[in-house]
Amino acid sequence: GLGALIGLERERTRRAAGVRTHTLVAVGSALLTASTILYMSEHGGAGAGEAVRIAAGIVTGVGFIGAGTIITSQGRVRGLTTAATVWVTAGIGITAGYGYLLLAALVAGPVTVAVLLLGIGEKRLETSLEGFYESGENEERPLVGGGPGREPPPGAGGPSG
């Protein structure tokens, strides 16, 4: 459920980790966490620290999955958002596994919206920056005195000063 919600956005943008990956990470995290809690309750709470160690192990293991989605090519890094969504999906699964379903849902919804809206904003920014760089508006200019053909003010260190 909740992992799939985040995965839908990643799937929509054709990313490496989509609905299935996010669903499996959330369900697996919840399963490992809940089974640890069940074990502890059946054995009189012995080994309460195990739930914390299981959560830490999940976060570490999911970090390796996330690292596999990060690619560097032609000076660009791709896959960081996918890695981050896989990681936060594990956190949502752990939270659900501990039994805090409302908290898990309250995180999954805004995470999905944030990734979706920030992705749209990022695309718009990339498009406007491409136009900026292609137009030549980013040429180096003197810090004082303005653009090409204009002399800097007297004493500003230009050709006359």
Side-chain angles (χ1 to χ4, degrees):
L2 297 175
L5 180 67
I6 296 168
L8 277 172
E9 191 284 329
R10 299 281 79 202
E11 192 82 34
R12 184 188 68 78
T13 55
R14 295 187 176 105
R15 301 299 182 201
V19 174
R20 292 181 297 169
T21 302
H22 284 80
T23 299
L24 292 172
V25 166
V27 169
S29 299
L31 173 66
L32 291 169
T33 304
S35 63
T36 302
I37 291 170
L38 287 172
Y39 177 84
M40 289 174 10
S41 69
E42 288 178 5
H43 293 87
E50 289 303 310
V52 174
R53 283 191 280 280
I54 289 292
I58 291 168
V59 170
T60 301
V62 167
F64 282 104
I65 293 172
T69 67
I70 300 171
I71 299 168
T72 304
S73 174
Q74 299 175 351
R76 294 189 64 177
V77 177
R78 301 184 56 85
L80 289 175
T81 302
T82 299
T85 58
V86 168
W87 185 78
V88 78
T89 299
I92 291 166
I94 291 168
T95 304
Y98 280 137
Y100 300 111
L101 300 178
L102 179 60
L103 178 59
L106 288 173
V107 170
V111 164
T112 303
V113 171
V115 171
L116 179 64
L117 293 180
L118 292 174
I120 291 168
E122 190 175 62
K123 292 285 184 215
R124 287 185 180 164
L125 179 62
E126 284 176 4
T127 302
S128 67
L129 286 177
E130 284 173 7
F132 175 73
Y133 288 118
E134 289 171 3
S135 71
E137 292 179 34
N138 65 326
E139 292 176 10
E140 289 188 32
R141 296 188 179 141
L143 294 176
V144 180
R150 285 193 252 161
E151 292 290 322
S160 62

